[in-house]
């Protein structure tokens, strides 16, 4: 049944996600399966068989994406996007992306296209998995912001030798992921949420994320909220992983830290993830397409199976989820018919992907004492948009000047002399020059390596509401006679606070 058909039948899509409607009205589950690239089809086939055996009857629409979707440059055919939008629920295999070259990642595009802003990555100790942390009681969830930060993928070559990537953080996006982290804590009966940031260095971007988290935390007095710098968090995760419950962090931090947490409990082959938005949800393994073992029947389907269990719980199919999870735990405890990645460290003979799946199927109906208690409620995110998330109202703004970034091959002293001359009879003064973030003017020139890319900071002679555009253009024109400008940034004062960073040494 499509979303339109559900709406026609009187269900309220302003308050219900497709998954919520399925659960509330006892409808058959309808989902898109994207087998994907490499090992994707092998593990998808095994997982779908286990789901059937476990009583999770799902009406699948199979769609192509990634390298498998030949003929579509973005790896996302329109039919796939339509089917995903209609079902609102996706189980996705890995999609291959070129490294350092080629087109955009179809994975990232899918997440952004459907505003799947919350990436939920649990890491929980599994029975019989050999890791250096096997005796540690690890049970945590990383909630990673999924659509902003450096992963906006806005990059520009500044000079032939200097590349730049924009780190975009919004107040609303930060508030949304913080709310998602507390929703995870509530659904799973967890008691602590730790915000992880690099706000000591990136005071505006990571600082805004931390501030939004603290604002949201204030509305959840029943749950402990704290903050840790991401580098210390990485260290603490290895030293004391039991101390963590829910970790809420930005996109890049979360990408790295969630692979670390996957490593703590046995590796990527065992790590599931959910990509959640207000309207729809997509579940997948954390690992990639594993081209080195593709087509050999060696792949471990556990991560995708755990992702499918998360999907069932999201859709309210709690019974089937529990049956299948217990069968998986029993299979891991028995330690028979395990795939190579799990069997080799145990020094036992490895089985194929499908033999492992058959073993899980044969264990449906058995229960494991080690299987964790099921979540107290299905995990779904409330419907929220930048308009509905409470964020601070825009403050009073004025312009204090601008940074003009230029390409220049000479010394900082020569550049400063040229720039000072360029400001003659204009309402700006040269306030500072930095190179790779380090102040080189005024004052002593540091003994550092300089790139051919300079930030030239000009202060307005008098505070103003807006930069005088014609005089700014005149300054740029003058600068163009001795240097090549790359980009310009306003120096805004927002509610009396500088909306720009100072240079190191300034
Ligand atoms: P990868 O995760 O595919 O493989 C890393 C290592 O782990 C390989 O040795 C592989 O054999 C092993 N491995 C991964 N999954 C396994 C499983 N289920 N069972 C047993 N062993 C497993 O990472 P890699 O090689 O860096 O990336 C390959 C491709 O996958 C790239 O094109 C990358 O862009 C893509 N990728 C896609 C993701 C997604 O669709 N969400 C996530 C990560 C990578």
């Amino acid at each position: 049944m499509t979303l339109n058909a559900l709406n026609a039948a009187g269900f309220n899509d302003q308050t219900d996600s497709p998954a919520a409607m399925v659960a509330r009205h006892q409808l058959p589950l309808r989902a898109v399966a994207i087998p994907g690239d490499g090992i994707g089809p092998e593990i998808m086939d095994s997982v779908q068989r286990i789901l059937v055996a476990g009583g999770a009857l799902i009406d699948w629409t199979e769609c192509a994406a990634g390298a498998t979707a030949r003929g579509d440059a973005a790896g996302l055919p329109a039919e796939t996007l339509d089917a995903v939008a209609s079902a609102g629920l996706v189980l996705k295999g890995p999609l291959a992306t070129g490294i350092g070259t080629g087109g955009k990642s179809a994975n990232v595009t899918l997440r952004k296209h459907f505003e799947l802003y919350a990436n939920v990555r649990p890491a929980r100790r599994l029975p019989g998995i050999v890791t250096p942390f096997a005796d540690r009681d690890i049970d945590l969830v990383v909630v990673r912001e999924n659509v902003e930060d450096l992963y906006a993928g806005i990059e520009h070559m500044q000079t032939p030798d200097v590349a730049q990537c924009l780190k975009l953080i919004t107040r609303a996006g930060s508030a949304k992921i913080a709310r998602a982290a507390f929703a995870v804590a509530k659904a799973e009966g967890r008691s602590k949420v730790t915000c992880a940031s690099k706000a000591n260095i990136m005071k505006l971007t990571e600082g805004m994320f931390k501030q939004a988290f603290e604002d949201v935390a204030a509305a959840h007095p029943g749950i402990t909220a704290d903050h840790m710098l991401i580098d210390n968090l990485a260290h603490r995760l290895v030293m004391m992983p039991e101390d963590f419950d829910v970790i809420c962090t930005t996109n890049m931090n979360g990408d790295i830290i969630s692979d670390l947490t996957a490593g703590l409990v046995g590796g990527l082959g065992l790590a599931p993830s959910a990509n959640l938005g207000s309207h729809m949800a997509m579940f997948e393994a954390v690992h990639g397409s594993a081209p080195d073992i593709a087509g050999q029947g060696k792949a471990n389907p556990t991560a995708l199976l755990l992702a499918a269990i998360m999907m069932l719980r999201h859709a309210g199919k709690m019974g089937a989820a529990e049956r299948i999870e217990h069968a998986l735990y029993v299979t891991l405890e028995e330690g028979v018919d395990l795939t190579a990645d799990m069997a080799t460290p145990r020094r036992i003979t490895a089985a194929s992907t499908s033999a492992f799946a058959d073993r899980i199927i044969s264990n449906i109906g058995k229960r494991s004492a080690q299987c964790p208690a099921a979540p107290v409620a299905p995990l779904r995110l409330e419907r929220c948009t930048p308009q509905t998330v409470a964020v601070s109202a825009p403050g009073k703004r004025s312009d204090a000047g601008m940074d003009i970034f230029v390409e220049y091959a000479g010394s900082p002293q020569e550049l400063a002399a040229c720039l000072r001359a360029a400001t003659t009879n204009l309402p700006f003064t040269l306030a500072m020059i930095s190179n790779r973030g380090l102040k080189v003017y005024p004052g002593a020139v540091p003994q550092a390596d300089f790139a051919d890319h300079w930030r030239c900071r000009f202060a307005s002679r008098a505070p103003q509401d807006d930069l005088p555009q014609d005089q700014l253009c005149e300054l740029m024109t003058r600068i163009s006679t001795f240097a090549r400008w790359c980009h310009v940034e306003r120096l805004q004062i927002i509610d009396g606070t500088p909306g720009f960073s100072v240079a190191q040494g300034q």
Side-chain angles (χ1 to χ4, degrees):
M1 188 180 282
T2 66
L3 191 55
N4 285 344
L6 288 167
N7 288 337
F11 301 121
N12 182 2
D13 82 337
Q14 294 309 307
T15 54
D16 284 353
S17 69
M21 287 191 274
V22 161
R24 174 145 3 128
H25 304 288
Q26 301 280 306
L27 298 168
L29 196 54
R30 192 170 156 264
V32 165
I34 300 177
D37 303 318
I39 59 171
E42 303 162 49
I43 57 176
M44 182 65 79
D45 176 69
S46 289
V47 167
Q48 287 179 321
R49 288 198 297 115
I50 297 166
L51 290 174
V52 171
L57 297 180
I58 302 172
D59 177 9
W60 294 105
T61 303
E62 189 168 312
C63 292
T68 321
R70 287 188 186 83
D72 185 272
L76 278 176
E79 312 86 74
T80 299
L81 292 176
D82 288 347
V84 168
S86 166
L89 200 61
V90 184
L91 185 64
K92 186 184 82 60
L95 308 181
T97 312
I99 298 174
T101 56
K104 287 275 183 194
S105 157
N107 287 308
V108 177
T109 307
L110 255 179
R111 292 170 198 159
K112 295 183 74 112
H113 187 91
F114 293 104
E115 191 64 28
L116 301 174
Y117 62 88
N119 188 204
V120 179
R121 294 188 174 187
R124 184 178 274 150
R125 184 168 60 112
L126 289 164
I129 300 298
V130 179
T131 82
F133 294 86
D135 60 341
R136 309 291 288 269
D137 187 18
I138 300 172
D139 181 4
L140 57 88
V141 187
V142 177
V143 180
R144 162 196 172 196
E145 201 290 321
N146 215 17
V147 294
E148 298 193 342
D149 197 3
L150 295 166
Y151 289 50
I154 305 173
E155 297 190 291
H156 296 95
M157 292 307 292
Q158 296 291 292
T159 79
D161 296 320
V162 177
Q164 173 192 274
C165 180
L166 278 188
K167 181 176 170 80
L168 283 180
I169 301 282
T170 70
R171 205 180 299 279
S174 304
K176 280 164 68 177
I177 196 64
R179 286 160 65 143
F182 284 95
V184 168
K186 275 193 180 157
E188 301 201 351
R190 294 175 182 271
S191 58
K192 187 169 82 166
V193 183
T194 302
C195 172
S197 83
K198 195 67 184 167
N200 56 331
I201 303 295
M202 288 164 276
K203 298 174 196 296
L204 299 182
T205 50
E206 295 271 327
M208 178 187 282
F209 185 86
K210 176 174 179 286
Q211 182 61 56
F213 173 84
E214 285 162 1
D215 291 348
V216 171
H220 296 86
I223 297 175
T224 303
D226 61 5
H227 171 263
M228 207 175 267
L229 294 174
I230 188 72
D231 40 344
N232 186 29
L233 181 113
H235 152 249
R236 296 295 303 169
L237 270 172
V238 177
M239 299 296 289
M240 291 297 292
E242 307 84 349
D243 280 0
F244 293 93
D245 209 353
V246 178
I247 297 167
C248 175
T249 190
T250 48
N251 202 340
M252 177 84 167
N253 290 338
D255 196 6
I256 298 167
I257 223 72
S258 60
D259 270 28
L260 186 156
T261 56
L264 293 177
V265 293
L268 296 180
L270 302 164
S273 86
N275 301 277
L276 304 179
S278 305
H279 307 81
M280 60 165 287
M282 182 170 79
F283 299 82
E284 61 181 327
V286 169
H287 64 72
S289 57
D292 53 335
I293 56 167
Q296 300 171 32
K298 291 182 180 170
N300 183 351
T302 301
L304 191 65
L305 182 62
L306 287 168
I309 292 168
M310 291 176 83
M311 181 179 91
L312 292 175
R313 292 203 164 113
H314 170 80
K317 305 288 182 190
M318 306 303 242
E322 194 169 338
R323 256 192 312 281
I324 295 167
E325 192 172 36
H326 275 273
L328 169 66
Y329 272 65
V330 169
T331 307
L332 296 178
E333 280 169 20
E334 286 177 352
V336 182
D337 286 339
L338 303 182
T339 51
D341 57 318
M342 298 183 286
T344 308
R346 283 178 157 191
R347 300 182 201 286
I348 55 176
T349 310
S352 67
T353 308
S354 60
F356 176 59
D358 290 341
R359 177 64 62 174
I360 296 173
I361 289 169
S362 73
N363 282 328
I364 299 275
K366 296 183 188 162
R367 296 191 64 85
S368 158
Q370 294 192 58
C371 198
V376 293
L379 173 60
R380 294 189 201 113
L381 302 185
E382 59 192 310
R383 197 161 282 250
C384 58
T385 65
Q387 289 73 38
T388 59
V389 176
V391 293
S392 58
K396 176 162 170 37
R397 291 193 289 174
S398 61
D399 283 325
M402 64 273 175
D403 280 345
I404 302 179
F405 291 75
V406 303
E407 179 181 347
Y408 183 75
S411 72
Q413 298 95 327
E414 290 162 356
L415 177 61
C418 294
L419 292 170
R420 278 201 311 272
T423 60
T424 307
N425 298 328
L426 292 178
F428 309 114
T429 53
L430 177 64
M432 185 268 291
I433 304 174
S434 69
N435 191 288
R436 295 190 299 161
L438 176 67
K439 183 185 69 125
V440 298
Y441 169 89
V445 178
Q447 293 183 346
D449 290 341
F450 295 135
D452 57 354
H453 180 250
W454 309 81
R455 172 173 53 166
C456 311
R457 174 159 293 176
F458 295 91
S460 299
R461 289 190 202 280
Q464 41 208 316
D465 290 340
D466 199 4
L467 285 172
Q469 309 294 317
D470 51 341
Q471 285 155 321
L472 170 58
C473 290
E474 172 60 21
L475 180 61
M476 305 272 288
T477 304
R478 292 183 192 176
I479 289 175
S480 298
T481 61
F482 57 86
R484 185 185 173 97
W485 65 264
C486 312
H487 75 263
V488 180
E489 297 283 352
R490 280 174 189 270
L491 303 182
Q492 302 185 79
I493 307 287
I494 302 175
D495 286 334
T497 304
F500 48 91
S501 60
V502 295
Q504 283 131 13
Q506 193 181 2

